[in-house]
Amino acid sequence: MYVVSIAVLIIGGLIAAISGKAAGVASVLAVAVALACNLFISVPPIFYNDVPSYVLYLQYPMGTVNFEIDSLSAFFLITASFIFFVTSIYLYGCMPKENRKFHFAFFDFLFVLVILVLTVKNSIGFLITLELVTLLTVFLILYDHKSQRVQKSAVYYLIAMHVGTVFLIIPIIILINATGNMDFSAYKDLLASASEIQTPLLCLFLLGFIFKAGFVPFHTANTSALSQAQPAISAIISAVVIQIPIYGLLRIITLTDSTPLFIAYTFLLFSVITALYAVTNALTQKDLKQILSYSTVANIGITGVGISVGLLGKAYGKPLLTLLGFTGVLFHIFNSAVFMATAFFACGSVHLSTGTSKLAELGGLIKTMPVTAVCFLTASLSICALPPFNGFISEFFIYLSLVTTETSSSGALITSRVIAAAALASVGALSLIAYVRAFGIIFTGVQRCQFTANENPRSMLIPMALLSAVCLIVGIFPLPVAALIKTPAMLLSGVSGFALNDALMPAFSVSKASFIFLLFIFAILGLKHILLKKRTTVTAKTWNCGYENVSSRMQYTASSLTAPLINLIQPIVAKGESAEGVFSPKGDEIDQIDVEDTDARLSTIIQIPGVSQLSRKDYFFPQVQVHHQTEHLDFVEHYVVGNILKAFKRFYNLFAWIQTGYIGHYLFYMLITLLVFLIISVWRLL
Amino acid sequence: MTAETLFRYLLMLVLAVFMAGMIVKVKAMWAGRYGAPLFQPFFEIIRLFRKSQVISETSSMVSTLGPTLALASVLAAAMVVPVGGGAAIMSFKGDFIFFVYALAAARFFSVIIALDTGGSIGGMGASRVVTFSALIEPAFFIIIASLAQLTGKNSFTDIYAVILMPDTANGMATALTGTFVNLAQAWSHSELLIPAVCGNIVLMMFILTEAGRLPVCDPATLSEPAMIHGALTFNVSGPDLAIMNLTSIIKISLLSTLITGIIVPAWVSPVTSLFLYIFLMSGIAVTIGLIESLFARLRLSYVPQFLFGATGIAIIVLAVLVLGVKK
């Protein structure tokens, strides 16, 4: 079945690439078949703990490559397949009529590689497939390849992911040298318990994976890719591609018995900072895509909190902590995949219908696009972890791992967990602001700009509605997902089944409480219905303290909604300014500056060419029209990463004189290099 | 769920209306007036339920469904609160997380109603509600998580059972009940007295913020820059307004019940405990009324300092916990 799913996907991708018209259909069908196959092969490892394996014989350097579908792989495989299937339908619906056959082909090939990377048990094979996943993701990001911003972020993503791989290559090479084996299972002896070699290896693995997963301060590549890609692709990146490094990290954790304490604590610190920083940035963004991409990073941080509590539990020998931590992590991986995909789909739907995703231009869409609005509301409620939606279940377990009481705990363990719980509470409250803002500004109120918004075709709405339904159903009946995560949680924590059943018990109570919650809603609705049955409801203008002439421009804006909070946390969010549409005193347009360009976004009016010579008083007379706007920038992206990149540029500029542009000079360099090698080898012979 | 817990639950809801009346009464008496009858808020709600609705022409299904969802969230949150030394309707491991997030859901729904009308005033209130709640929520979590660690229990009912039972774990209970029974004994356990007092102060600040009372916000004012909660219900009328008002007064009752939970001793008979509970709830209502009579509303830019103060007090509890563990 495993081979069938891969073969069908490759064939589907090839058909999509060859045939123009049937590309979408071929891709959707191939993904559907692959989904069925993957579900089928995931049953034995998850329910019977029976691991199917496949062996591939390759040429000399690789040797035999093992593919195994253990419960961890199976869990990720199911999540990824489900998201791929839903996205493929959505992609089919939102793709304009233009010829995009390669896009569908790349989509199918990405699915193949995701299956491979999740199942391969060979370390080098893992690295290769991981890199190929990055490469195909870049191809998919480049959908809108003519836009400079898209090109820039795709290249940035590619480079950042490669740099992350460097950290992974080093420990894997060390391990291969030490064991002479490429299989992950062979590294168990070296990684299992505390030794001289375990700590640096784990540090490198951790660094590599958190780099790739996009923990702060390494998040900028992911956020720029997520906000520039087509929303369907962003959904895939957010729900599947970013989770692959997390899978890698969990795979390494299955090989260890315990980790050094400082690694667990450092990771906890990183995760908490990631969640807090990302959610703070999410609530300052002015574009829905940006909000969602920062939210993705915040969710990765929350997952990280769960993983680090699991590690702490292992290190201190507290099985309950380990179990709750990893249960929360697995729940969150599934749930965040579902709700982030829903949110990105809704964002794509808004973007396709109105042509923009900027908060300041949208408004009142709930009347014209009700299905999208309800789906986005569901996703928002899930992302804010509000009951009775699925986000609550997973964050509930992560909270539980933070507040649950254990006998004879150390002070450091208790304090760090209580503080992490308080930080997580802040994250929850802040993401509530971000999503109240996003939903409130985009979908409620009155339209802010002139455009006609219509609901999109059903092929886009059905996947979205399906995922929203999953959000609600998993929130109320978490049992099916709990069944999925049982065996992988056992594999990760090394704790037996009975303890696990005990740890999962609160899920049933939560589901009961959520169910009663729903009953309350229906009861009150029924009461209201009975009360209002014989009365007439009158419609009137919005009451605005007696002011009659309410216009759409009087609505509260996205920026003013969060202004009080941003003023409080000013140092974290840097302020940037930009200007566009600058007119000369004579009235003819002299310079339309490109606000797409990040450097220009940072520049103030005075630095804009053509304006600098204007005197100050010109601003106050109608000859000059400057559309000026301020925005909040990602502190890390613009100051930390920006300065590091500038430093690199300066360093490389030192060697710029080598590159003269004359062929003769380059041949001369080659000659010198060969001579140097010749001399060295002669020297060694002597 | 037994008949008794259900009775206690309903009592808490009824007391919510009573407390609202009590607060108004105290304020009136302090100002030298006789004041409206104690059950005036109850009559108000009945009156609103009997009216028909006027809705804004810009509003959508958010406005129609929002109040219902907000009330349902608060009622769901109320299920896990143990009333007056008894058990809650539902009690499970980590139920306080459910409590906090159900209240957050109520906030989400009431805030998007305000944004739905397309006016400028709703947004102002919405902005303040979410900002202030974001600042106070960590404090509440620190208190609850510390109490959980101190008592070794993971649900409201269990935590309170430990706190209230004399001669159980940690000796905390003796200290706490002692606060009221035997002050001298309480002072001998001063390191456990501190979390109790600080916890109650933070809970009180949490009530004032969540319910939008003075000094954070003046519920009686209609002047635009002063409003927080009034702005949210600006375009809501009829039964929906009744539901919104109920939501906000039930919130006060819920959080006050949490305070009384730390105080009512468990060794008294159930009937006595209920009377004690009603007495303490009235006490809290009187306190809120007195605060509203005596304090001026804080300037909005000073509210965050008030809320950070709550976090500071919560951190004291955490410090006590850590020092206690080190011993």
Side-chain angles (χ1 to χ4, degrees):
Chain A
M1 283 310 244
Y2 177 72
V3 184
V4 170
S5 80
I6 290 176
V8 167
L9 277 174
I10 292 177
I11 293 168
L14 288 177
I15 292 175
I18 296 164
S19 77
K21 274 181 190 165
V25 181
S27 147
V28 171
L29 284 178
V31 173
V33 172
L35 169 74
C37 294
N38 286 341
L39 286 181
F40 187 77
I41 50 172
S42 299
V43 168
I46 282 193
F47 293 102
Y48 309 110
N49 224 346
D50 172 23
V51 180
S53 63
Y54 307 88
V55 184
L56 184 67
Y57 297 100
L58 288 178
Q59 293 295 321
Y60 155 66
M62 295 292 286
T64 54
V65 180
N66 283 316
F67 292 90
E68 270 176 21
I69 302 151
D70 62 355
S71 52
L72 189 65
S73 302
F75 169 74
F76 274 87
L77 206 56
I78 290 177
T79 313
S81 307
F82 176 59
I83 299 293
F84 262 101
F85 170 64
V86 178
T87 311
S88 72
I89 302 175
Y90 181 84
L91 201 61
Y92 174 69
C94 75
M95 216 51 120
K97 296 249 158 54
E98 58 190 296
N99 194 356
R100 284 296 185 187
K101 53 189 186 184
F102 286 113
H103 206 59
F104 285 111
F106 288 144
F107 185 80
D108 279 13
F109 294 146
L110 178 66
F111 191 11
V112 173
L113 286 165
V114 167
I115 296 175
L116 289 178
V117 78
L118 290 177
T119 50
V120 68
K121 291 294 173 293
N122 181 302
S123 53
I124 294 291
F126 178 77
L127 278 183
I128 292 172
T129 41
L130 194 60
E131 280 314 279
L132 287 174
V133 166
T134 305
L135 201 62
L136 274 172
T137 312
V138 169
F139 290 160
L140 285 168
I141 293 171
L142 280 172
Y143 169 75
D144 194 5
H145 56 89
K146 281 174 191 154
S147 154
Q148 262 192 1
R149 293 183 81 175
V150 174
Q151 285 173 15
K152 220 172 174 178
S153 59
V155 171
Y156 186 29
Y157 180 80
L158 186 66
I159 293 172
M161 290 302 125
H162 276 310
V163 174
T165 313
V166 173
F167 296 111
L168 297 178
I169 290 176
I170 301 168
I172 284 182
I173 286 180
I174 295 173
L175 282 169
I176 291 174
N177 269 336
T179 59
N181 200 327
M182 287 188 198
D183 260 20
F184 274 124
S185 51
Y187 306 150
K188 204 160 179 165
D189 301 335
L190 284 172
L191 289 173
S193 54
S195 64
E196 279 172 18
I197 194 167
Q198 189 216 20
T199 313
L201 283 178
L202 281 183
C203 283
L204 282 169
F205 271 124
L206 191 68
L207 194 60
F209 284 126
I210 69 175
F211 198 110
K212 289 197 142 223
F215 282 68
V216 173
F218 312 118
H219 65 287
T220 49
N222 279 327
T223 48
S224 81
L226 281 166
S227 59
Q228 294 306 324
Q230 192 198 17
I233 302 306
S234 299
I236 282 291
I237 298 176
S238 169
V240 178
V241 176
I242 285 189
Q243 309 290 359
I244 290 173
I246 299 285
Y247 161 79
L249 191 58
L250 293 178
R251 172 65 55 206
I252 297 297
I253 289 172
T254 57
L255 301 176
T256 62
D257 284 340
S258 76
T259 43
L261 271 182
F262 87 93
I263 291 187
Y265 277 120
T266 317
F267 189 37
L268 181 63
L269 185 69
F270 255 108
S271 313
V272 167
I273 290 175
T274 300
L276 271 176
Y277 182 83
V279 81
T280 313
N281 272 290
L283 64 88
T284 63
Q285 297 305 319
K286 291 187 162 181
D287 194 305
L288 181 57
K289 276 183 184 173
Q290 294 268 16
I291 296 176
L292 296 181
S293 49
Y294 277 102
S295 206
T296 305
V297 177
N299 275 312
I300 289 289
I302 293 169
T303 313
V305 171
I307 297 178
S308 45
V309 175
L311 290 179
L312 280 175
K314 269 191 169 183
Y316 278 109
K318 303 213 177 293
L320 185 63
L321 278 194
T322 320
L323 259 182
L324 286 173
F326 286 127
T327 312
V329 167
L330 295 170
F331 251 127
H332 200 64
I333 285 166
F334 180 83
N335 291 341
S336 66
V338 173
F339 61 63
M340 283 320 296
T342 321
F344 271 112
F345 286 177
C347 170
S349 173
V350 168
H351 195 277
L352 193 68
S353 176
T354 64
T356 179
S357 56
K358 287 198 174 107
L359 297 187
E361 293 168 11
L362 296 163
L365 288 184
I366 195 167
K367 281 158 216 144
T368 42
M369 304 172 72
V371 180
T372 309
V374 170
C375 291
F376 187 75
L377 182 61
T378 317
S380 306
L381 293 168
S382 302
I383 297 171
C384 298
L386 300 177
F389 293 93
N390 65 353
F392 178 68
I393 294 283
S394 46
E395 281 201 33
F396 176 80
F397 275 101
I398 292 175
Y399 267 116
L400 210 53
S401 73
L402 291 171
V403 299
T404 190
T405 49
E406 280 269 325
T407 46
S408 65
S409 291
S410 78
L413 184 61
I414 290 184
T415 322
S416 56
R417 279 161 59 217
V418 170
I419 291 175
L424 219 52
S426 302
V427 170
L430 292 175
S431 65
L432 187 132
I433 302 181
Y435 282 93
V436 158
R437 178 173 173 260
F439 180 80
I441 298 294
I442 294 177
F443 291 101
T444 68
V446 194
Q447 275 197 4
R448 286 179 174 76
C449 280
Q450 285 301 317
F451 53 76
T452 46
N454 290 313
E455 196 59 285
N456 285 302
R458 283 213 186 119
S459 48
M460 278 172 80
L461 300 182
I462 289 171
M464 209 152 62
L466 179 70
L467 286 180
S468 311
V470 172
C471 283
L472 184 60
I473 292 168
V474 172
I476 297 170
F477 303 107
L479 197 67
V481 184
L484 281 185
I485 64 175
K486 231 170 170 178
T487 26
M490 260 154 48
L491 183 70
L492 281 167
S493 56
V495 182
S496 72
F498 292 112
L500 185 68
N501 283 342
D502 242 23
L504 279 174
M505 271 309 280
F508 303 111
S509 315
V510 172
S511 102
K512 209 164 89 184
S514 300
F515 188 68
I516 298 178
F517 184 10
L518 282 192
L519 288 186
F520 275 132
I521 294 175
F522 289 122
I524 301 170
L525 277 182
L527 177 74
K528 235 177 83 179
H529 181 73
I530 294 168
L531 283 176
L532 291 175
K533 210 156 70 182
K534 284 181 185 163
R535 301 175 199 165
T536 47
T537 303
V538 187
T539 322
K541 268 196 169 158
T542 296
W543 170 248
N544 230 5
C545 284
Y547 187 75
E548 280 290 302
N549 246 341
V550 183
S551 80
S552 69
R553 293 190 55 133
M554 278 172 205
Q555 289 178 92
Y556 229 53
T557 59
S559 335
S560 32
L561 197 66
T562 42
L565 191 68
I566 291 170
N567 285 340
L568 283 176
I569 49 172
Q570 195 51 253
I572 306 177
V573 281
K575 226 173 193 168
E577 295 179 66
S578 68
E580 58 184 314
V582 184
F583 295 88
S584 79
K586 284 168 199 156
D588 48 319
E589 208 166 308
I590 49 164
D591 214 351
Q592 184 92 42
I593 67 141
D594 177 22
V595 274
E596 307 272 301
D597 184 19
T598 16
D599 290 335
R601 282 205 294 166
L602 271 171
S603 72
T604 58
I605 309 170
I606 307 303
Q607 289 162 336
I608 298 162
V611 183
S612 50
Q613 59 264 40
L614 296 175
S615 71
R616 197 177 178 79
K617 79 167 206 248
D618 288 331
Y619 290 115
F620 299 99
F621 292 96
Q623 291 99 327
V624 180
Q625 289 181 7
V626 181
H627 180 88
H628 185 246
Q629 69 174 46
T630 54
E631 61 184 319
H632 297 283
L633 305 169
D634 186 335
F635 182 81
V636 170
E637 188 176 350
H638 286 272
Y639 295 102
V640 182
V641 179
N643 283 335
I644 290 173
L645 290 182
K646 266 183 206 155
F648 267 109
K649 224 175 187 174
R650 272 203 296 277
F651 177 72
Y652 288 126
N653 272 341
L654 294 178
F655 305 100
W657 55 270
I658 295 178
Q659 197 177 10
T660 53
Y662 293 108
I663 285 256
H665 289 176
Y666 297 149
L667 288 173
F668 180 61
Y669 297 152
M670 282 163 113
L671 191 68
I672 290 181
T673 316
L674 287 173
L675 271 177
V676 168
F677 278 122
L678 188 69
I679 291 167
I680 290 174
S681 37
V682 171
W683 183 269
R684 292 186 76 181
L685 280 177
L686 290 174
Chain B
M1 188 174 73
T2 60
E4 193 200 333
T5 54
L6 189 64
F7 173 71
R8 283 170 187 265
Y9 178 77
L10 293 176
L11 178 70
M12 176 163 61
L13 301 186
V14 173
L15 271 185
V17 185
F18 169 70
M19 276 179 85
M22 191 89 170
I23 294 170
V24 176
K25 191 85 177 172
V26 169
K27 278 169 82 175
M29 286 169 84
W30 192 267
R33 291 180 282 115
Y34 185 72
L38 270 183
F39 278 92
Q40 187 59 31
F42 182 71
F43 303 135
E44 298 271 336
I45 285 165
I46 296 292
R47 178 177 61 92
L48 286 172
F49 267 125
R50 291 160 65 100
K51 285 192 167 189
S52 60
Q53 283 186 316
V54 182
I55 57 170
S56 161
E57 57 199 14
T58 55
S59 65
S60 62
M61 60 180 163
V62 170
S63 292
T64 1
L65 287 176
T68 308
L69 294 171
L71 181 60
S73 319
V74 172
L75 289 179
M79 288 192 305
V80 299
V81 177
V83 178
I89 286 189
M90 283 191 83
S91 151
F92 52 91
K93 219 175 154 185
D95 56 5
F96 45 83
I97 304 164
F98 179 79
F99 176 79
V100 172
Y101 274 81
L103 283 189
R107 200 186 322 139
F108 191 105
F109 295 123
S110 25
V111 167
I112 53 173
I113 297 165
L115 289 172
D116 192 39
T117 52
S120 55
I121 293 163
M124 205 177 276
S127 160
R128 288 170 190 165
V129 169
V130 290
T131 307
F132 296 158
S133 303
L135 297 178
I136 194 103
E137 217 156 70
F140 184 72
F141 242 95
I142 293 178
I143 292 286
I144 294 296
S146 303
L147 275 181
Q149 299 289 345
L150 269 170
T151 55
K153 299 290 175 194
N154 292 311
S155 74
F156 270 140
T157 304
D158 291 349
I159 289 173
Y160 286 144
V162 170
I163 291 177
L164 301 171
M165 274 290 178
D167 308 316
T168 43
N170 301 346
M172 173 148 174
T174 22
L176 282 170
T177 50
T179 331
F180 300 92
V181 181
N182 185 346
L183 259 180
Q185 195 194 355
W187 284 113
S188 67
H189 289 272
S190 55
E191 84 276 9
L192 294 164
L193 187 68
I194 295 168
V197 174
C198 291
N200 273 342
I201 293 175
V202 173
L203 277 175
M204 197 68 202
M205 291 165 104
F206 192 59
I207 293 178
L208 298 176
T209 317
E210 267 292 313
R213 313 299 300 202
L214 283 169
V216 176
C217 157
D218 187 353
T221 185
L222 272 179
S223 86
E224 186 184 312
M227 281 189 308
I228 298 180
H229 271 258
L232 298 184
T233 51
F234 231 53
N235 280 286
V236 184
S237 60
D240 274 344
L241 183 58
I243 290 174
M244 289 287 278
N245 288 346
L246 261 180
T247 310
S248 109
I249 59 179
I250 288 176
K251 250 189 211 169
I252 301 184
S253 156
L254 282 192
L255 296 164
S256 308
T257 307
L258 287 185
I259 294 186
T260 62
I262 303 183
I263 300 169
V264 181
W267 37 263
V268 294
S269 70
V271 180
T272 324
S273 79
L274 280 180
F275 276 111
L276 199 55
Y277 167 67
I278 296 173
F279 174 73
L280 286 168
M281 291 288 271
S282 331
I284 293 168
V286 171
T287 316
I288 295 176
L290 285 180
I291 290 176
E292 299 216 337
S293 310
L294 290 170
F295 285 79
R297 189 178 58 78
L298 282 175
R299 216 174 86 186
L300 273 173
S301 51
Y302 291 141
V303 172
Q305 295 176 12
F306 174 81
L307 304 176
F308 285 134
T311 315
I313 299 171
I315 288 172
I316 297 176
V317 177
L318 180 62
V320 172
L321 163 73
V322 174
L323 293 176
V325 168
K326 264 189 186 163
K327 264 184 207 166

